């Protein structure tokens, strides 16, 4: 939005920027995850006996890479949001929590004319956004290889990173849509956030749902006709025994319902249907992530593990 200087999203873009508040928390959780790495990445006790991956999955290189990549994404994102919040602090000095008064005073130092600050901030954000786009897209793909695909170190797919990234992106759009609806109602700003914004959000959700479906089918098709053991075992495991129904349910929630449901304009601007299909995507990604992790750790099971731990993690993230 910032790189293209988009205007349509200005009344609602701050809701999406607010997601950055979770990145530092997630970074701490990542460090905690690495403490218990031997319970998740079974190969992390030693260099894996896979010739092609001995360097990439070398434990010191692996964990250093994960931390550095995530730290770069977090620092760039927090820097970007700092510039946004600084404009608010400079224009509305009397607003904000009491405990952050001293922080706001430091942020206001050197704040000049509003028009000049707006111009210089948007110029800085335009440059930051370019680096963020590269860091986030490439960095998130690297993290998908390291934290998701490597759970099964014998599996490899060149489309896996894009598939993982696009699932996160389309679900960010869907959850953003739900949050915009909730805050419009809470703030009573029906004059500022209008049906045209939901129409645009619905079009974005529809477009990237289609792209996620394309990546999913393309990856499956290539693995199917390639028929190579190091690739076919991964989707096969998720289509047999106890994992089969969750897999088909996940595809339906991530693609089937939102794709066909959001075809019409009416479904995008009628809020109950938009809530239904956006929620379908959000729940579908939860199942998507679950199926990336659990089959690789548990193998073939008749009854999938779904209990207090899984629900606890979900509630914690919410």
């Amino acid at each position: 939005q910032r790189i293209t200087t988009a205007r349509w999203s200005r009344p609602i873009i701050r809701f999406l920027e607010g997601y950055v508040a979770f990145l530092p928390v997630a970074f701490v959780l990542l460090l905690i995850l690495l403490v218990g790495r031997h319970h998740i990445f079974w190969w992390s006790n030693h260099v894996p006996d896979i010739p092609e991956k001995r360097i990439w999955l070398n434990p010191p290189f692996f964990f250093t890479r994960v931390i550095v990549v995530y730290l770069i994404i977090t620092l760039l994102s927090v820097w970007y949001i700092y510039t946004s919040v600084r404009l608010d602090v400079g224009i509305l000095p009397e607003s904000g929590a009491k405990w952050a008064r001293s922080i706001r005073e430091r942020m206001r130092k050197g704040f000049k004319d509003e028009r000049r600050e707006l111009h210089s901030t948007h110029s800085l954000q335009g440059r930051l956004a370019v680096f963020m786009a590269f860091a986030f897209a490439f960095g998130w793909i690297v993290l998908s290889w390291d934290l998701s695909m490597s759970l099964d170190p014998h599996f490899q797919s060149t489309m896996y990173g894009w598939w993982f990234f696009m699932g996160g992106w389309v679900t960010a759009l869907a959850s953003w849509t739900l949050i915009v609806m909730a805050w419009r109602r809470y703030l009573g700003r029906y004059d500022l956030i209008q049906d045209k914004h939901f129409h645009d959000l619905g079009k974005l959700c529809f477009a990237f749902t289609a792209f996620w479906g394309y990546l999913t089918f393309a990856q499956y098709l290539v693995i199917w006709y390639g028929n190579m053991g190091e690739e076919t075992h991964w989707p096969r495991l998720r289509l047999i025994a106890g994992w089969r129904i969750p897999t088909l349910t996940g595809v339906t929630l991530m693609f089937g319902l939102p794709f066909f449901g959001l075809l019409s304009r009416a479904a995008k601007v009628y809020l109950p249907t938009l809530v239904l299909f956006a929620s379908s995507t959000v729940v579908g990604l939860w199942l998507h992530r679950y199926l990336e992790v659990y089959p690789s750790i548990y193998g073939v099971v008749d009854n999938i593990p779904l209990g207090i731990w899984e629900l606890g993690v979900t509630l914690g993230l919410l």
Side-chain angles (χ1 to χ4, degrees):
Q1 301 298 308
R2 174 53 58 200
I3 291 170
T4 60
T5 62
R7 295 179 181 273
W8 73 268
S9 61
R10 288 182 181 178
I12 61 175
I13 194 67
R14 289 298 184 87
F15 299 127
L16 191 60
E17 290 181 0
Y19 284 33
V20 170
F22 185 69
L23 288 181
V25 178
F27 181 71
V28 174
L29 294 175
L30 174 64
L31 297 178
I32 296 173
L33 173 73
L34 298 183
V35 172
R37 60 190 180 277
H38 301 314
H39 298 284
I40 303 170
F41 305 100
W42 56 265
W43 47 264
S44 63
N45 295 307
H46 56 81
V47 178
D49 299 323
I50 306 171
E52 300 87 349
K53 299 182 180 180
R54 288 180 64 85
I55 296 176
W56 186 261
L57 294 183
N58 181 281
F61 179 43
F62 175 88
F63 293 114
T64 301
R65 181 174 67 249
V66 167
I67 292 172
V68 169
V69 167
Y70 199 92
L71 189 60
I72 290 172
I73 293 173
T74 302
L75 291 176
L76 282 173
S77 301
V78 170
W79 184 7
Y80 182 92
I81 298 307
Y82 176 87
T83 63
S84 289
V85 175
R86 184 173 178 271
L87 284 176
D88 297 342
V89 170
I91 297 169
L92 302 169
E94 72 282 357
S95 300
K98 292 181 179 179
W99 62 266
R101 184 176 300 160
S102 61
I103 299 175
R104 292 196 299 275
E105 289 175 357
R106 288 196 297 271
M107 293 174 74
R108 279 197 299 272
K109 285 184 178 180
F111 195 89
K112 303 184 181 82
D113 175 69
E114 180 182 337
R115 184 181 295 273
R116 182 179 298 177
E117 288 289 344
L118 194 66
H119 177 74
S120 61
T121 299
H122 284 178
S123 297
L124 174 59
Q125 287 181 334
R127 293 191 294 272
L128 277 175
V130 173
F131 288 103
M132 282 177 61
F134 282 109
F136 192 83
F138 181 70
W140 211 248
I141 288 172
V142 171
L143 290 172
S144 76
W145 298 336
D146 290 344
L147 298 178
S148 180
M149 192 166 70
S150 73
L151 291 168
D152 183 346
H154 296 284
F155 172 68
Q156 56 197 33
S157 169
T158 54
M159 297 186 70
Y160 191 91
W162 291 107
W163 184 54
F164 183 97
F165 176 87
M166 193 49 58
W169 172 236
V170 70
T171 307
L173 293 172
S175 59
W176 181 26
T177 302
L178 295 172
I179 285 176
V180 170
M181 288 184 198
W183 276 95
R184 184 178 79 154
R185 184 173 182 178
Y186 176 73
L187 297 172
R189 294 310 304 265
Y190 295 88
D191 58 328
L192 190 63
I193 304 172
Q194 302 171 7
D195 287 347
K196 64 181 181 180
H197 293 107
F198 293 116
H199 186 213
D200 289 331
L201 289 170
K203 287 188 289 186
L204 282 171
C205 290
F206 172 77
F208 288 104
T209 293
F211 192 50
W212 182 89
Y214 157 74
L215 289 175
T216 302
F217 180 71
Q219 179 174 239
Y220 178 82
L221 186 65
V222 169
I223 291 174
W224 177 75
Y225 71 61
N227 199 27
M228 300 169 66
E230 62 269 29
E231 296 176 354
T232 55
H233 76 278
W234 195 91
R236 178 184 178 274
L237 174 60
R238 286 152 178 83
L239 288 169
I240 62 173
W243 306 113
R244 184 176 188 178
I245 298 301
T247 298
L248 297 176
T249 303
V251 173
T252 302
L253 290 173
M254 281 288 291
F255 178 76
L257 284 178
F259 178 80
F260 293 103
L262 292 174
L263 278 171
S264 69
R265 182 187 185 279
K268 300 181 183 75
V269 296
Y270 182 57
L271 299 191
T273 54
L274 190 56
V275 168
L276 171 65
F277 299 127
S279 301
S280 171
T281 300
V282 173
V283 175
L285 186 79
W286 183 93
L287 200 53
H288 185 336
R289 296 289 186 248
Y290 176 87
L291 290 164
E292 288 171 21
V293 175
Y294 272 64
S296 296
I297 294 175
Y298 285 89
V300 179
V301 296
D302 292 324
N303 298 306
I304 63 171
L306 184 61
I308 186 67
W309 298 108
E310 291 71 34
L311 297 178
V313 168
T314 305
L315 292 174
L317 289 173
L318 287 174

